[in-house]
């Protein structure tokens, strides 16, 4: 991450410096270097505002997570999805709280609940870090979880559907099949990439040992071999019923997504608290305890957000993004990625708000519109890919991970796979 951060800043400085040397002053125009300076200050301020905006959301959902954990919900979820999760994360004990937290994060992402998914994901990273023998260095499980998180299967991209409806689309939910296809493909690639990169010699030799939680009195052991399933788990047939139940949500989201989506977040809060009451948890006191932790986490990630968002802001303001688009557009048009959509594909892993703005401008352009091929493509890209650098900064920043190993490489590989899949499916259905 040190090298990537420096390279982004270096490219931005060189690009702005070159434009400054060839700049002809105009009436009221800022020079390229002045624009770069202003962008740095605005990005730094914006990143702090973003982190402070997360405080309330983090406080709410980590409070609910604490209630769920105290009531045993995470353990129940981990047991239900154990056959799949044990094979994906062989170094994590099947009954560990990290399993349930990861499942909640993936479920929230699948339903398009970004506000809920982030606290769940941070909680999962905190639990995974308890198994980390070398704090500050990402484990294989952390890298795989981050890669899956940035490519997680999306069943209901509610925000994108709403924006398409506002732009006058005759079929706002037409991106549901394209989004599902693209995210399924990118998630498969994310898993394969994380597993493959983790076996490379240069990556493998930096691998931390993942150990049982020492607070439980276990001795540190290398969990390289797949973990054995505990006899206290549910029978396999129960797990398969649970998986099939989750899969049955797909047609429901396709046909009733607009009706269901307003109920999801209020339903989550009521459901978690009701579960705690049934399990005789002191829901108010436990909620407040978890909320305090959410506040502390939101404040702790501010430096990481400042670093990433300032670098991205410099990259955009310097003109390096425009130069990259001009160079690549002649090639990408030949494979179904038009020049209008290329900035979206490049910006999506770097800046969620920037990519959202690009998508909004494209689908609201009368010449293009939301129901054109380009409109469907940018909508699918927004709904099926994640802001990789933001997720990396927030999740790893929450546990003070500085050595990310192969996590970013796996996530970016999944991003490329998602773009490829989006082009393929949109070309087939709407090209």
């Amino acid at each position: 991450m040190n090298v990537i951060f420096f390279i982004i800043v270096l490219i931005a400085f060189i690009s702005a410096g070159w434009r400054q040397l060839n700049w002809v002053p105009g009436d009221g125009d800022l020079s390229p270097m002045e624009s770069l300076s202003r962008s740095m200050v605005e990005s730094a301020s914006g990143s702090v505002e973003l982190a402070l905006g997360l405080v309330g959301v983090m406080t709410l959902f980590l409070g609910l997570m604490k209630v769920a954990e105290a009531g045993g919900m995470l353990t129940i979820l981990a047991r239900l999805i154990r056959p799949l999760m044990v094979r994906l994360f062989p170094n994590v004990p099947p009954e560990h709280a990290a399993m349930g937290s990861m499942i909640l994060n993936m479920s929230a992402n699948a339903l398009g609940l970004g506000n809920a998914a982030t606290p769940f994901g941070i909680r999962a990273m905190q639990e995974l870090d308890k198994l980390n023998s070398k704090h500050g260095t990402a484990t294989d499980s952390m890298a795989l979880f981050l890669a899956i998180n940035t490519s997680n299967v999306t069943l209901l991209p509610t925000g994108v559907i709403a924006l398409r409806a506002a732009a006058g689309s005759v079929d706002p939910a037409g991106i549901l099949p394209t989004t599902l296809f693209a995210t399924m493909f990118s998630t498969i690639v994310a898993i394969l990439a994380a597993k493959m990169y983790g076996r490379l010699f240069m990556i493998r030799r930096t691998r931390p040992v993942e150990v049982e939680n020492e607070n439980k009195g276990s001795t540190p052991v290398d969990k390289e071999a797949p973990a054995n399933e505990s006899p206290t788990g549910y029978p396999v047939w129960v797990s398969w019923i649970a998986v099939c139940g989750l899969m049955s949500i797909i047609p429901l989201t396709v046909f009733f997504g607009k009706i269901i989506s307003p109920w999801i977040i209020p339903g989550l809060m009521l459901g978690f608290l009701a579960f705690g009451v049934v399990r005789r948890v002191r829901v108010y006191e436990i909620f407040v305890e978890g909320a305090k932790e959410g506040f502390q986490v939101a404040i702790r990630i501010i430096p990481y957000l400042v670093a990433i968002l300032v670098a991205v802001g410099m990259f955009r303001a310097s003109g390096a993004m425009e130069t990259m688009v001009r160079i690549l557009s002649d090639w990408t048009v030949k494979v179904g990625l038009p020049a209008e959509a290329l900035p979206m594909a490049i910006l999506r892993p770097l800046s969620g708000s920037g990519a959202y703005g690009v998508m909004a401008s494209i689908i609201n352009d009368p010449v293009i519109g939301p129901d054109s091929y380009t409109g469907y493509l940018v909508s699918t890209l927004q709904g099926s890919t994640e802001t990789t650098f933001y997720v990396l900064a927030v999740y790893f920043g929450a546990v003070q991970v500085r050595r990310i190993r192969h996590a970013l490489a796996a996530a970016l590989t999944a991003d490329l796979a998602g773009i490829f899949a989006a082009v393929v499916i949109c070309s087939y259905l709407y090209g």
Side-chain angles (χ1 to χ4, degrees):
M1 194 63 192
N2 294 316
V3 175
I4 294 171
F5 177 68
F6 176 74
I7 288 176
I8 293 175
V9 174
L10 178 63
I11 292 174
F13 181 85
I14 293 174
S15 177
W18 176 258
R19 293 175 63 206
Q20 179 77 24
L21 294 175
N22 297 278
W23 178 65
V24 177
D27 293 336
D29 292 338
L30 292 175
S31 70
M33 293 305 290
E34 288 175 331
S35 297
L36 187 65
S37 299
R38 174 176 291 188
S39 175
M40 293 173 63
V41 174
E42 291 177 350
S43 298
S45 300
S47 61
V48 175
E49 292 174 4
L50 177 61
L52 293 178
L54 283 173
V55 170
V57 176
M58 295 283 294
T59 300
L60 171 63
F61 282 102
L62 284 184
L64 293 176
M65 280 285 291
K66 199 72 174 180
V67 173
E69 181 180 359
M73 179 184 291
L74 301 186
T75 301
I76 293 173
L77 288 172
R79 290 176 179 176
L80 282 173
I81 316 296
R82 176 184 297 180
L84 175 62
M85 296 298 284
V86 163
R87 286 162 177 78
L88 282 179
F89 298 92
N91 301 333
V92 180
E95 301 296 331
H96 200 273
M99 285 290 194
S101 299
M102 288 190 288
I103 292 169
L104 286 175
N105 167 263
M106 295 174 188
S107 300
N109 267 329
L111 295 175
L113 304 177
N115 289 340
T118 299
F120 293 157
I122 289 176
R123 181 68 177 184
M125 276 293 180
Q126 291 174 327
E127 294 297 334
L128 289 173
D129 196 48
K130 294 178 181 179
L131 303 172
N132 191 354
S133 65
K134 191 186 296 183
H135 296 291
T137 300
T139 63
D140 283 356
S141 297
M142 287 178 170
L144 176 59
F145 173 65
L146 187 134
I148 292 176
N149 193 274
T150 59
S151 63
N152 200 47
V153 174
T154 302
L155 303 178
L156 189 60
T158 51
V160 181
I161 292 174
L163 187 60
R164 286 176 54 80
S169 172
V170 297
D171 185 16
I175 62 165
L176 285 173
T178 58
T179 299
L180 183 59
F181 177 86
T183 52
M184 288 183 65
F185 186 79
S186 63
T187 300
I188 293 171
V189 171
I191 295 171
L192 296 177
K195 295 287 188 181
M196 181 181 68
Y197 295 158
R199 294 177 181 177
L200 298 177
F201 172 74
M202 294 299 294
I203 302 297
R204 190 174 66 248
R205 68 186 184 88
T206 63
R207 175 189 297 161
V209 174
E210 296 182 62
V211 300
E212 295 280 3
N213 191 337
E214 294 181 3
N215 293 332
K216 295 182 180 180
S218 58
T219 57
V221 294
D222 190 346
K223 303 292 288 183
E224 185 69 30
N228 293 325
E229 294 187 19
S230 168
T232 60
Y234 298 121
V236 175
W237 63 270
V238 174
S239 298
W240 279 114
I241 290 177
V243 171
C244 292
L246 289 175
M247 294 299 293
S248 68
I249 295 176
I250 295 176
L252 291 177
T253 59
V254 172
F255 295 107
F256 305 106
K258 294 176 65 176
I259 299 174
I260 294 173
S261 59
W263 293 76
I264 294 176
I265 291 181
L268 278 176
M269 183 164 185
L270 177 61
F272 277 36
L273 294 180
F275 179 83
V277 170
V278 171
R279 305 283 287 192
R280 298 185 178 181
V281 173
R282 294 179 297 179
V283 291
Y284 178 77
E285 297 175 16
I286 298 298
F287 177 90
V288 171
E289 181 183 344
K292 291 178 181 178
E293 181 181 344
F295 180 85
Q296 295 168 356
V297 170
I299 299 301
R300 193 162 61 235
I301 64 179
I302 290 178
Y304 296 86
L305 283 179
V306 170
I308 289 297
L309 295 184
V310 166
V312 171
M314 291 177 65
F315 189 74
R316 294 180 61 193
S318 67
M321 175 73 72
E322 297 175 10
T323 302
M324 183 179 295
V325 169
R326 283 198 305 269
I327 294 173
L328 297 177
S329 59
D330 291 339
W331 300 91
T332 59
V333 168
K334 299 176 181 178
V335 295
L337 184 60
E340 297 86 353
L342 183 56
M344 173 78 187
I346 296 175
L347 200 58
R348 188 66 178 104
L350 298 174
S351 171
S353 58
Y356 191 84
V358 171
M359 180 197 68
S361 65
I362 290 174
I363 65 175
N364 283 286
D365 186 339
V367 178
I368 301 175
D371 296 323
S372 64
Y373 167 73
T374 302
Y376 276 109
L377 179 59
V378 296
S379 301
T380 301
L381 290 174
Q382 178 69 24
S384 63
T385 54
E386 188 53 88
T387 313
T388 299
F389 284 86
Y390 168 80
V391 172
L392 186 145
V394 171
Y395 286 16
F396 281 164
V399 291
Q400 311 294 298
V401 168
R402 296 176 178 84
R403 195 170 187 178
I404 62 175
R405 301 176 66 235
H406 58 295
L408 180 59
L412 291 179
T413 301
D415 287 339
L416 289 174
I419 294 171
F420 169 79
V423 170
V424 169
I425 190 63
C426 288
S427 297
Y428 177 75
L429 293 179
Y430 306 113

